[in-house]
Amino acid sequence: GAVVSQHPSWVICKSGTSVKIECRSLDFQATTMFWYRQFPKQSLMLMATSNEGSKATYEQGVEKDKFLINHASLTLSTLTVTSAHPEDSSFYICSADTGGSYEQYFGPGTRLTVT
Amino acid sequence: KNEVEQSPQNLTAQEGEFITINCSYSVGISALHWLQQHPGGGIVSLFMLSSGKKKHGRLIATINIQEKHSSLHITASHPRDSAVYICAVPLISNFGNEKLTFGTGTRLTIIP
């Protein structure tokens, strides 16, 4: 149980375009979903926390208008990278929890390359 | 000083060796996570523990809340254990919610 999927697993896009990444909890309802990015050989950095039906809470230094997060249902959150730049190339990982138990379940990640 | 520190940063061992990875944290926590990240990037949650010890197959995780220290042990290590092992603790963010703060990871390589 407790499976989180991400789609796509990898994507290449051109500078200036937008890319949407989906994060789904397959067998549980996720009250909270987290979006992380990870640069090569570095640790995960939390970008934002989203709760179903409310606005995401962004970490300091993360541009809200650039990284749009929508948590439309208890099983789906999306991250849209708008007007992508090569420096947005990274590994994006989502995680989800059921609330109250501190358990977090991680998705397999999406590797974004912006050319 | 990082709030979550791991050691060693890199570890190479022969197949069959007993492996220990350490994690120290500087603030009070409710629970600690051990995660495994394979070269492909996907992350697997190995353990979440708030006291004592947990065992899953060849993996054992222990935590000492008073000393703010946790260890991950691998018995009879195997090349497929080669991965980055990350400890993470939930801390209160500037916004008042809990968020995971990650150690820098330990890159483990098991040689056949």
Side-chain angles (χ1 to χ4, degrees):
Chain A
V3 177
V4 174
S5 71
Q6 279 185 242
H7 178 80
S9 54
W10 60 270
V11 57
I12 301 172
C13 71
K14 294 191 175 184
S15 285
T17 61
S18 294
V19 174
K20 181 186 282 189
I21 303 169
E22 292 186 349
C23 176
R24 291 183 188 271
S25 56
L26 297 185
D27 50 3
F28 67 100
Q29 292 187 327
T31 53
T32 306
M33 285 184 168
F34 304 86
W35 286 97
Y36 301 90
R37 67 187 297 181
Q38 184 182 36
F39 292 107
K41 303 203 180 217
Q42 294 189 24
S43 193
L44 284 79
M45 294 294 296
L46 180 65
M47 298 175 68
T49 303
S50 74
N51 293 292
E52 184 264 339
S54 62
K55 287 185 180 179
T57 303
Y58 289 81
E59 294 299 299
Q60 200 165 14
V62 178
E63 297 174 60
K64 302 177 185 183
D65 296 331
K66 180 165 185 61
F67 298 99
L68 301 178
I69 291 172
N70 186 302
H71 194 156
S73 76
L74 284 171
T75 59
L76 173 64
S77 176
T78 59
L79 167 68
T80 301
V81 183
T82 62
S83 189
H85 275 221
E87 55 262 33
D88 298 325
S89 298
S90 187
F91 191 60
Y92 292 87
I93 304 171
C94 72
S95 72
D97 76 18
T98 57
S101 68
Y102 310 115
E103 287 272 13
Q104 279 195 35
Y105 304 98
F106 288 83
T110 296
R111 189 162 302 283
L112 170 64
T113 303
V114 183
T115 61
Chain B
K1 183 172 165 41
N2 292 333
E3 291 167 314
V4 182
E5 292 200 338
Q6 282 184 240
S7 63
Q9 287 190 352
N10 294 285
L11 179 56
T12 300
Q14 293 286 334
E15 182 174 355
E17 285 190 42
F18 181 80
I19 303 298
T20 296
I21 299 170
N22 296 300
C23 177
S24 297
Y25 49 94
S26 58
V27 295
I29 62 167
S30 50
L32 181 144
H33 297 252
W34 279 104
L35 311 171
Q36 180 192 55
Q37 185 171 30
H38 276 282
I43 290 182
V44 174
S45 181
L46 298 174
F47 296 103
M48 186 193 70
L49 66 166
S50 55
S51 65
K53 176 179 170 178
K54 282 191 176 180
K55 184 175 189 293
H56 182 76
R58 294 181 294 106
L59 302 177
I60 304 166
T62 62
I63 190 168
N64 185 316
I65 296 290
Q66 286 72 32
E67 294 185 5
K68 294 186 169 58
H69 181 269
S70 176
S71 293
L72 176 68
H73 306 285
I74 305 175
T75 62
S77 58
H78 190 276
R80 64 174 173 267
D81 298 326
S82 298
V84 176
Y85 293 84
I86 305 167
C87 73
V89 300
L91 298 176
I92 302 297
S93 76
N94 292 334
F95 300 100
N97 59 316
E98 275 203 344
K99 63 171 188 174
L100 283 181
T101 298
F102 299 84
T104 51
T106 295
R107 186 172 299 274
L108 174 65
T109 304
I110 303 297
I111 300 171

